[in-house]
Amino acid sequence: MIRKATLLAVLSAALLAPTAVTAPSTAAATPVTAGRQTVKLTVDAITPDVPREPTTEINISGTVTNAGAAALSGLRVRIRYTSVPFPDRASLEAYQTCQACDQASRSIVAEIPAINAGGKAQWELPPVTPAYLNLSGFGVYPLSVEVLDANWQPIAIQRTYLTYAPSTMPKLPRTRLAFALPIIDQPHRSVDATFIDDQLRTSLVGTGRLADLLKIARSKPKNVTWFVEPALLDDVDAMTRPHRVKTRKTSQDRPADASAAQWLESLRSALATASVVATPYADPDVVALAHQGLDEQTGKAVSIGAEQARKLLQRDVPTNVNWPVGGLIDADGLDLLAVSKVDTVLLNAQNAPPQPPVLTTPDAATTVDSVMGPVTALVADPGLSRALELDPSFQGSSVMARQRFVAETAMIAKEQPPTAPARSLLVAPSRRWQPNPEHVTALLKTTAGLPWLANGPVTALKAGKAGVPRAALTYTELDRKAELGKKYLDGVAKLAGKSRLTTEITSKPLLSAFDRSVLRLTSSAWRGRTGAATSSAKQVNATTDEHIGKVQVTGISSDKPRSIAGTEASIPISVRNGLKQDVTLRVAVTSDNRELLTIGSYDEQMPLTITAEQNGTVVIPMKATTSRSGDALVTVQLTTLDGKNYGPAQKLTVRTTGYTGIALVIVGGGLVVMLAAVVMRVLRRRSQKRVARATKTRESEHV
C-alpha cells in the first residue's frame, strides 16, 4: 500500500506518454523469461463487463501456462489498480506501454499451485467491489494482472481496464453506434457453372470463414448492418447445382453441394429482418474503373447486385450505401458511385481526416461533394474497428479486447458535456476479415447493453450538429498504385465489348451471363493477384467466343467458289442461329475486287430475325463488271443493329465465267448454219422442180 500522492504522481507520468490513439491491444501477455522458465498468462474472464453499483462483485480469473522444460512452484497472481481514472482515450494506449505504471498500484494476490512442464493452472482472484477498489465515479481505471515467481518478481503481465458506470451517475448524451460487418469474398467462378478454385466449398463448413460469419448472423445482433456481396451469393447458389471445378492443373465435375444450399438458406433466414446492404456485384475496384475509363461497369455492378441480392435473399436489399475497398475513394470514384444513386459511403479515417486535427473523437458522419451533390461519408473509428479483428492465436485476448472496447466508448462518452449534441460512431473491420464468432458475438452483446451508447443501423448515422470539418478526400499515390492496373483492365474492357454483343442481337435483350463474368474480373479482390485474374479472363474469353460463334454464316468458303453465269446473279447467304433464343441482326456484304465484281442493290439495313436453333437467309444480288472470267473475294460480316461487327468476317469466292461473249458466238454460229440449211433446202426444191418439169415434157413428147 502506498500513499495517494505517490499514486497520482506515477499515473500522471504514465499519462504524459505519447497521445496517439491506436488500436486496442488484443495479444496475450508477453512472456517474461527467467532462466529457461517461460510463463504465459491469459485473462479468461472479468465479470461483469461494467459494474453498476458500489457493491457489485467483480470476478477475475484466468490461466497460467508453463511453457518451459521444468516444473514451476511458488507462483502467485497479483492484480494492481488505482482509483485514479484515465483522463482521455490517448492515455489508454500510453498505459499499455508504461512499465512504471505497475509500480505504483494497490494489489491483491492469489496463490497458484505448482505447474508441471507444459502444464496449465487455473486461477481466480477473490471477488472485489468498486467500493473496495475505491472507484469514485463513472470512468475507466487501470488494472494490471501479473504472475510473480517465488521471489515476487513479475514474469508475465497483462494490462487491461475496468470501466465503472454507477447507476447514480448523471445522464450522459448517448453516442449513436453502428457496426458494419461485411460478408464479402473473392470471385470463385469464371463463367456459368465453372469454378476456378475449390476454396468456397471449404469456407462454408466447419470453422471456415463464411461458416463463422453465418454463426454471427444467426445470433441476430440488432446493432449490425450487414454488407452482403451478391456475387458471393451467386457463387454459392451455383454450387447448389451440378458444377465444374477447373483450375490450371485439374478439371473435375461435381454434383450439387448440400452444404452450399444449407448455408444459403441459413443466411437467408438469419438476415430476413436484419439491416442489410448489397454491395455492387463482385465488389468492383471502383476507383480503378474510373481511372481506366470503364465507367459503365460500376453502374452495371450496382444494378446487377441489387437484382441478385433480391433474388437470392428473397427480399429487397438497398444499394445506396457503398463500402469501397480499404475504405478509400477519390473524387472520380465517388462520382461514379453517385451517378449510380449511391448517397452514403463508408470511409477509412485516413481518407477523410479532421481538418484541423481535434483532440476529441470526431463525429463519424460528414458530407463530401460529388457530381450529383452532397454524399454522406461515414468514417470508421480505427481503434474500435480493430477490436473486432481478434488474433485467434492468442487465448484470452477476447476478454482484453472487449474490456478495451468498453473503455474506449466510455471515454468517448466523457469527452463532451451533457448538453453537447450526440455524436455518432462507426465500427467496421477490414472487409475480408477472418472473424472469431464467439468474440464478435460477445462484444456485440456487451455493446448493446452499455448505457452511454444508442445502437442502430448504419443508415441511422447522419451528418448533424456534432460534425467536425474534414479535409478533402485524401488519396495518395500509393493508394493509386494498389489499384488494378491499366494493362489488365484494357483486356477486361475488350471482354466487356464482347459481352455486350451477346445481348445486342437478341430479339428481347436479356442480362448476359457474360456481364457477370466480366464484373467478376473487375473485383477488388484481384488487387495484387492479376496473374490469377488473367487466367480466369482467358476462360471467360474462350467461352464468350464460343457463344458468339453459335450465330454464324454457313455454307460459304473462300476455297469453294460460287459461279455467276452471265452478268448478274443472286446468291443466297445462310445464317445459322445455334442459340436457344431468337436473334436479330444484319448481314453486310462487300466485294474485295470491284473491278471484277460489284454487289447489287439490296436493303442491307433490313434486319434479319432468326428463331432459336434455325437458319435464316438473305439473297445478295451480284454483277460481273467484265466479260472475262475470274475469281473475286466477297466479305460477309454479321453486325448488330447499330452496326457493330458480330463475330469474325467470312470470305466467299465468286467466279465470273464470261459466258455472255461465248453465248453470242454460239448463237451467231447457229444462225449461220440455220441460214445455210434454209438456202440449201430452197435450192434443192428448185432443182427438184426443174427435173420434174423436164420429165413431164419428155413424156408429153413421147405420147
Side-chain angles (χ1 to χ4, degrees):
M1 192 76 66
I2 60 175
R3 292 191 302 179
K4 188 173 182 180
T6 306
L7 274 171
L8 290 171
V10 175
L11 185 57
S12 297
L15 301 181
L16 291 175
T19 58
V21 179
T22 62
S25 174
T26 59
T30 302
V32 180
T33 303
R36 295 185 178 181
Q37 309 299 332
T38 302
V39 168
K40 294 182 180 179
L41 168 67
T42 59
V43 178
D44 298 331
I46 300 177
T47 58
D49 293 309
V50 181
R52 300 302 309 277
E53 302 295 339
T55 57
T56 301
E57 287 192 349
I58 304 169
N59 296 284
I60 306 174
S61 60
T63 305
V64 174
T65 302
N66 179 5
L72 292 174
S73 60
L75 300 182
R76 301 171 180 84
V77 171
R78 174 174 68 183
I79 63 167
R80 290 192 171 190
Y81 61 93
T82 75
S83 57
V84 180
F86 291 103
D88 51 41
R89 288 185 74 185
S91 62
L92 302 182
E93 181 63 24
Y95 173 66
Q96 287 290 332
T97 57
C98 175
Q99 298 298 323
C101 297
D102 300 309
Q103 306 302 318
S105 304
R106 302 176 182 180
S107 64
I108 300 173
V109 179
E111 301 288 335
I112 299 177
I115 311 174
N116 293 326
K120 297 181 179 181
Q122 302 293 321
W123 57 265
E124 184 173 0
L125 291 165
V128 295
T129 65
Y132 179 85
L133 299 175
N134 200 27
L135 306 184
S136 57
F138 175 56
V140 178
Y141 298 83
L143 180 70
S144 68
V145 183
E146 303 173 336
V147 176
L148 307 177
D149 64 13
N151 297 318
W152 290 79
Q153 296 300 310
I155 55 177
I157 302 172
Q158 282 270 27
R159 294 186 179 89
T160 185
Y161 316 90
L162 183 62
T163 303
Y164 178 44
S167 58
T168 57
M169 69 180 184
K171 186 177 181 180
L172 296 172
R174 284 180 175 256
T175 303
R176 297 185 298 270
L177 177 69
F179 286 87
L181 299 188
I183 304 180
I184 299 175
D185 203 39
Q186 69 182 50
H188 295 282
R189 281 188 300 162
S190 54
V191 291
D192 299 329
T194 302
F195 285 75
I196 58 176
D197 60 54
D198 204 21
Q199 298 174 12
L200 183 58
R201 180 175 59 87
T202 57
S203 185
L204 295 173
V205 296
T207 58
R209 174 175 169 270
L210 295 175
D212 285 344
L213 284 169
L214 177 60
K215 292 174 187 175
I216 301 171
R218 293 178 71 173
S219 70
K220 297 184 182 291
K222 296 182 179 180
N223 48 356
V224 166
T225 295
W226 294 96
F227 283 74
V228 180
E229 204 277 277
L232 168 61
L233 303 182
D234 209 3
D235 284 349
V236 176
D237 182 59
M239 285 183 63
T240 66
R241 298 179 293 276
H243 55 281
R244 169 172 290 188
V245 178
K246 184 178 181 181
T247 64
R248 291 183 178 180
K249 297 182 179 180
T250 64
S251 181
Q252 185 179 16
D253 290 329
R254 297 276 180 82
D257 193 313
S259 62
Q262 183 178 359
W263 186 90
L264 188 57
E265 179 58 35
S266 297
L267 184 70
R268 185 182 296 128
S269 175
L271 301 184
T273 58
S275 174
V276 181
V277 171
T279 73
Y281 190 90
D283 185 37
D285 193 342
V286 172
V287 183
L289 296 180
H291 292 163
Q292 304 306 329
L294 278 74
D295 295 9
E296 69 172 9
Q297 297 303 318
T298 296
K300 189 173 291 187
V302 171
S303 61
I304 293 176
E307 178 182 337
Q308 292 301 111
R310 179 170 54 251
K311 171 186 173 183
L312 297 173
L313 292 180
Q314 297 179 2
R315 54 168 289 188
D316 287 334
V317 184
T319 57
N320 63 308
V321 184
N322 185 269
W323 190 349
V325 54
L328 297 170
I329 201 164
D330 68 356
D332 295 331
L334 184 67
D335 287 344
L336 273 188
L337 292 173
V339 169
S340 300
K341 300 183 180 179
V342 169
D343 57 24
T344 303
V345 290
L346 274 57
L347 301 182
N348 185 306
Q350 283 73 42
N351 199 202
Q355 186 64 39
V358 294
L359 298 178
T360 58
T361 303
D363 190 80
T366 186
T367 58
V368 289
D369 291 329
S370 77
V371 69
M372 302 300 290
V375 171
T376 299
L378 304 178
V379 183
D381 186 279
L384 297 179
S385 298
R386 284 192 288 268
L388 287 172
E389 300 190 55
L390 187 67
D391 188 334
S393 66
F394 294 112
Q395 295 181 351
S397 57
S398 176
V399 173
M400 311 301 284
R402 190 165 68 249
Q403 291 295 114
R404 177 67 180 267
F405 190 95
V406 171
E408 294 271 5
T409 57
M411 295 303 301
I412 293 170
K414 288 191 66 177
E415 288 177 346
Q416 301 287 347
T419 57
R423 286 173 297 171
S424 58
L425 291 172
L426 174 66
V427 180
S430 58
R431 299 181 324 135
R432 292 183 177 88
W433 66 328
Q434 178 69 54
N436 180 309
E438 291 77 17
H439 166 64
V440 174
T441 301
L443 179 59
L444 294 174
K445 183 178 179 180
T446 296
T447 305
L450 298 178
W452 53 86
L453 295 177
N455 292 270
V458 165
T459 51
L461 305 184
K462 303 293 183 183
K465 296 180 180 179
V468 298
R470 291 184 180 266
L473 293 174
T474 303
Y475 199 82
T476 68
E477 187 61 29
L478 286 177
D479 296 330
R480 181 137 188 180
K481 288 181 179 179
E483 300 169 10
L484 294 177
K486 174 178 172 54
K487 181 179 179 181
Y488 171 74
L489 287 180
D490 283 347
V492 173
K494 293 179 181 178
L495 265 175
K498 287 186 179 181
S499 173
R500 284 192 297 270
L501 289 177
T502 65
T503 60
E504 290 181 358
I505 66 165
T506 55
S507 298
K508 295 181 179 179
L510 302 173
L511 178 66
S512 171
F514 299 108
D515 288 336
R516 285 179 282 173
S517 297
V518 170
L519 287 174
R520 293 187 198 104
L521 297 175
T522 68
S523 175
S524 62
W526 298 121
R527 284 189 171 192
R529 303 172 55 234
T530 51
T534 300
S535 177
S536 181
K538 289 179 180 178
Q539 292 186 28
V540 176
N541 188 57
T543 307
T544 307
D545 285 344
E546 181 183 354
H547 181 93
I548 290 174
K550 290 182 179 180
V551 179
Q552 62 177 335
V553 177
T554 61
I556 69 171
S557 171
S558 59
D559 299 330
K560 296 180 180 180
R562 293 195 186 179
S563 299
I564 293 181
T567 59
E568 297 181 4
S570 294
I571 295 181
I573 303 294
S574 180
V575 181
R576 173 65 179 173
N577 175 18
L579 301 176
K580 295 183 178 180
Q581 55 183 313
D582 297 353
V583 299
T584 301
L585 39 70
R586 293 193 176 101
V587 181
V589 182
T590 55
S591 172
D592 294 1
N593 188 351
R594 296 186 179 182
E595 295 180 356
L596 190 61
L597 181 75
T598 60
I599 305 303
S601 177
Y602 77 101
D603 190 359
E604 60 181 280
Q605 297 302 313
M606 177 66 70
L608 175 63
T609 298
I610 312 171
T611 55
E613 299 182 321
Q614 298 295 321
N615 290 342
T617 302
V618 63
V619 178
I620 307 298
M622 300 183 185
K623 183 178 181 179
T625 58
T626 178
S627 61
R628 64 184 177 84
S629 300
D631 289 347
L633 282 179
V634 171
T635 300
V636 182
Q637 175 69 64
L638 300 181
T639 72
T640 62
L641 296 184
D642 60 355
K644 297 174 185 172
N645 290 346
Y646 186 87
Q650 297 191 47
K651 297 293 184 177
L652 167 65
T653 299
V654 177
R655 176 163 295 165
T656 60
T657 61
Y659 288 167
T660 303
I662 295 173
L664 289 174
V665 172
I666 293 173
V667 171
L671 289 173
V672 171
V673 172
M674 185 182 298
L675 289 173
V678 170
V679 170
M680 291 296 294
R681 187 177 299 166
V682 171
L683 292 175
R684 189 180 300 115
R685 286 178 180 176
R686 288 182 179 180
S687 176
Q688 290 173 349
K689 288 180 179 180
R690 284 197 299 270
V691 171
R693 283 198 300 271
T695 301
K696 187 176 182 180
T697 302
R698 286 194 299 268
E699 289 178 351
S700 298
E701 291 176 352
H702 179 71
V703 175

